[in-house]
Amino acid sequence: MSVLSLRAQRYVQCGGVVVAVLAVLASVALILRPARDADYHFGTLLTDPASAHTEAGSGVQVAHLEVRWDRFEPQDDLFDTAYVSTLKSTLGAFKKAGMEVEAGITIHSPPMWLQERPEAAFVDQYGDRFSGAPNVVFSQSVRLEVQEYIDRFAQELELDSFWAIRIGVSETGEFSYPPASVEEGRKNSFWAFDTRAQGAPGTADRPPAIPPNPLPGWGPGERTAGGGTVTRADVAAWFDWYHHALAQAVNWQIGHYKALGYQGRIKILLPGTGIRPYEYEEVIDSHLDGSALPDLAGRGVGYFRSLAAIHDNHNIEIVSTSLVDGSGEPRDNGCSPSDQEHLLLDPSRSDIIHNWSSVRWIANLARYYGFAMNGESAGPQVQPYYDGVMNDAAHQMTSCGLGGLMWAFDKNLYDGTPGSSLKEYAEVIEQLT
C-alpha cells in the first residue's frame, strides 16, 4: 500500500494511562530537550523524478522514493530486475538534481506469496485475518522474510545512498496495528489472537523478544478467564504487553538496519494524536470492551506507552504525519514554550492537552523520550488544503521544534490543490532558510 493510501486513512486519535512515578518524572525530563539541526529540510512524498530539478531549484531538498515489496520480489526469492533498474534510475535522477533521498522500503506491500502463508496474517479476537501488512509482531519466520527483502535491497541500491529510511508496522507503514475489522460491522479489533501471540512461553515461531501473553485465552471485554476474575490490573498488563509487542517489532527493524551498517536517519511515523493518558485509563476501565474508542484502541496507538519501549534513539526520528490535519482547539495549533511545564503523562491534565493539535502532542512526547522530531502534512484527503495551509504547517513545524517538513503529496504541487503549489512551497522555504 502506498503512502498515498496511507494518508487516505482516517488519522488516528485516541488516549492513555500512566503510573504516578512517571508523571512526576515528566516535568524533569521535558527540560532535557534534544538539540535540533540549525537548518530545516523540506521535501515531498511520492516525489516525481521528472520534477526533481525544478523542485531542487525552488529549495526542496528531499525526495521520497517508495519501494514496493510486491514488485521487488513478486515470487519468493525471485527479484524483478526491471523494477530494480527503475529504482536505480529514479535514485540517480534525484541525486543528479542534488537532492537527498528518503526511502520507504515498504514492508506493508507484501507479495501475494507471503500473504498466502497462514503465519503472515494478523488475527483478531473474532478470528478475522488481516494480511495487508505482514505479521512482523508475532511471527519470527515472517520477520526473516522481511530481512531477506531488506538485505537484497541493500545489495542492489546500497543503504548509504539514502538520507533517511522510513519504518513501521501497519498497512500504512506507520507505528500501529492494522485497523479495526470491518467484517459484519465489527469494531474494536485487537490483533493478538494468532497461535503465536496466544501461545505459552517458548511457542514456536514467536520472536524471542516478545514475552508470553499475560492473559492467554482472554478476549477484550471479558470479565473472567480460566475460571477466575479478570481485574483492572490484569487488563492494564495485557494492554501494555500489546503496546510493547508492537514497539519490539520497531526495535527489530531499527536493529536490522543498523546491523547492516546503515548510519542515516531512521524515521518512525506516528499518525494523529494517539491514545492520551486519560483516554488510556478509560479504555482499561472498560476492560477493552469497545465502549471507549472502539475504532482505535486495538491499533495500539498509546504512543506515550510504546515510545517508552523503543530502546535506541540515536539517529531515530519521530515523525508526526498529521500536520494541518484540522485537530486541536484552536484548529492546527502549534507548540508553546510553556508546554514543557505540564505533566504530559498525568491523566489529570486532560484539561490542558485535550485541545492540543496532533503534532503538538506528538512533539512533546518525542521530546520527553529524547527523540529528534520531524513532520509531514496529513494530506488533502485527510483534511482539505486551503489558502495559507503551508504557512500553518510551517508554524507548527517551527513552534514544535521539528527538523523539517515533508509535503503530502508531490503531485499536489501541480494539480491546482488550494494552498499547495510549488510557488507557495518555495516562498515558505525561502522565509525559513
Side-chain angles (χ1 to χ4, degrees), residues 213-364:
N213 188 324
L215 283 176
W218 173 79
E222 296 176 358
R223 265 52 180 181
T224 61
T229 299
V230 175
T231 67
R232 186 186 188 284
D234 293 331
V235 176
W238 190 93
F239 206 27
D240 273 352
W241 167 81
Y242 187 68
H243 280 84
H244 287 191
L246 178 67
Q248 204 285 321
V250 168
N251 285 329
W252 152 72
Q253 291 178 67
I254 293 171
H256 190 67
Y257 278 111
K258 291 194 172 184
L260 291 174
Y262 181 66
Q263 299 180 28
R265 305 166 186 240
I266 296 177
K267 292 188 170 186
I268 304 173
L269 313 177
L270 276 60
T273 303
I275 298 178
R276 293 166 290 194
Y278 64 97
E279 294 165 317
Y280 199 97
E281 291 202 340
E282 292 170 3
V283 172
I284 292 174
D285 287 342
S286 73
H287 271 55
L288 316 187
D289 65 7
S291 60
L293 303 173
D295 294 322
L296 298 167
R299 299 213 69 167
V301 289
Y303 302 134
F304 75 101
R305 305 298 288 173
S306 52
L307 284 181
I310 301 300
H311 300 153
D312 183 355
N313 63 9
H314 179 66
N315 285 350
I316 307 301
E317 295 187 348
I318 302 303
V319 180
S320 169
T321 64
S322 301
L323 275 67
V324 291
D325 64 0
S327 62
E329 182 60 43
R331 169 182 169 140
D332 293 330
N333 56 74
C335 298
S336 167
S338 64
D339 290 351
Q340 63 182 301
E341 299 172 5
H342 304 313
L343 298 178
L344 290 183
L345 306 185
D346 184 349
S348 70
R349 300 310 298 266
S350 63
D351 61 318
I352 300 296
I353 65 174
H354 180 71
N355 291 326
W356 285 4
S357 65
S358 298
V359 63
R360 187 175 183 179
W361 170 246
I362 297 303
N364 277 282

Side-chain angles (χ1 to χ4, degrees), residues 132-199:
N135 190 351
V136 295
V137 178
F138 297 114
S139 174
Q140 180 66 17
S141 60
V142 171
R143 289 188 181 190
L144 292 176
E145 293 289 359
V146 171
Q147 288 179 188
E148 290 181 10
Y149 158 53
I150 293 171
D151 292 351
R152 181 56 180 258
F153 178 87
Q155 292 173 18
E156 295 286 355
L157 282 93
E158 299 183 1
L159 295 181
D160 287 344
S161 300
F162 299 98
W163 173 78
I165 290 175
R166 305 158 69 87
I167 63 173
V169 174
S170 75
E171 83 292 351
T172 63
E174 294 172 298
F175 192 17
S176 79
Y177 286 99
S181 172
V182 297
E183 294 295 326
E184 301 177 6
R186 292 171 178 159
K187 298 182 179 180
N188 200 43
S189 293
F190 289 84
W191 298 101
F193 290 87
D194 60 272
T195 57
R196 294 152 189 81
Q198 290 290 308

